[in-house]
Amino acid sequence: MFVDAVHPTHAARAVGCWAAKDEKLAIEQTSGRQRINIHGAIDLETGQTRMIEAETIDAMSTIRLLESLETLYPLMVCIHVFLDNARYHHAKLVNEWLSRPGCRIKLRFLPAYCPHLNPIERLWGVMHKNVTHNKPTTLAKNSPRPLWSSCATKSREIGPNIAAQSQTISA
């Protein structure tokens, strides 16, 4: 499993397009700086994804995600999880959780500053392309739930269809 977090905002992300040089382009925007935090994992072999929403990405959200991975694969003797060197992945709470008897998770840290080695980064890119690029997202005041639903749904759709996205995600 490859693990990482993403923090989409509800504002549309302006992305390049072809237009006449002097033509002024505008993308409808929503106001505010709200964002959501998604901690996710992808299995490149099956395309299976697992995502959780978190108030903040920290040691507790890491543990919640790892617990959900153990639940997702009840018959696996050992689950190898590849992730970056974020401070919360090395937190004391995470290490204590991993050292409990019967823990089936083994963390494998990717080299520092190498997001290109983590395929879930490309999944996030595809999700952004389909959800936030050049598209405003309407939200109820102080509630990012519709964007979370769109992001999570799009990422879950992409996962099982990983063969079609193989150039983008598992390249």
Side-chain angles (χ1 to χ4, degrees):
M1 299 295 293
F2 291 87
V3 168
D4 196 30
V6 66
H7 317 280
T9 61
H10 76 278
R13 294 175 66 181
V15 180
C17 67
W18 291 100
K21 183 178 175 182
D22 56 344
E23 187 176 344
K24 299 212 186 263
L25 299 175
I27 300 172
E28 183 184 342
Q29 287 288 343
T30 51
S31 63
R33 293 182 164 174
Q34 295 171 328
R35 73 175 192 175
I36 59 173
N37 299 298
I38 302 171
H39 218 154
I42 186 169
D43 180 343
L44 283 185
E45 191 173 335
T46 64
Q48 180 78 21
T49 59
R50 182 57 61 123
M51 290 172 216
I52 61 164
E53 180 182 8
E55 190 70 33
T56 59
I57 301 298
D58 56 13
M60 290 308 298
S61 70
T62 301
I63 291 169
R64 281 184 34 229
L65 180 60
L66 296 176
E67 286 173 337
S68 72
L69 293 179
E70 280 191 325
T71 303
L72 184 63
Y73 296 104
L75 302 177
M76 289 280 203
V77 174
C78 184
I79 303 167
H80 295 275
V81 175
F82 297 86
L83 33 68
D84 61 22
N85 282 283
R87 176 182 259 163
Y88 46 81
H89 291 152
H90 291 280
K92 188 176 184 179
L93 279 174
V94 174
N95 288 327
E96 288 171 1
W97 185 85
L98 290 167
S99 65
R100 76 193 196 294
C103 181
R104 298 178 294 128
I105 302 278
K106 300 292 180 224
L107 299 186
R108 308 291 183 207
F109 291 98
L110 298 170
Y113 306 107
C114 292
H116 60 283
L117 296 178
N118 195 342
I120 199 166
E121 295 284 2
R122 291 182 284 287
L123 176 68
W124 298 144
V126 172
M127 180 261 316
H128 275 299
K129 181 180 177 186
N130 287 279
V131 176
T132 63
H133 285 186
N134 296 331
K135 299 173 194 147
T137 305
T138 305
L139 298 175
K141 188 172 184 168
N142 298 325
S143 174
R145 176 60 67 189
L147 178 61
W148 152 251
S149 297
S150 297
C151 293
T153 299
K154 182 51 69 177
S155 297
R156 286 188 190 106
E157 287 171 9
I158 294 164
N161 299 317
I162 208 161
Q165 297 288 341
S166 62
Q167 292 298 324
T168 309
I169 296 171
S170 62

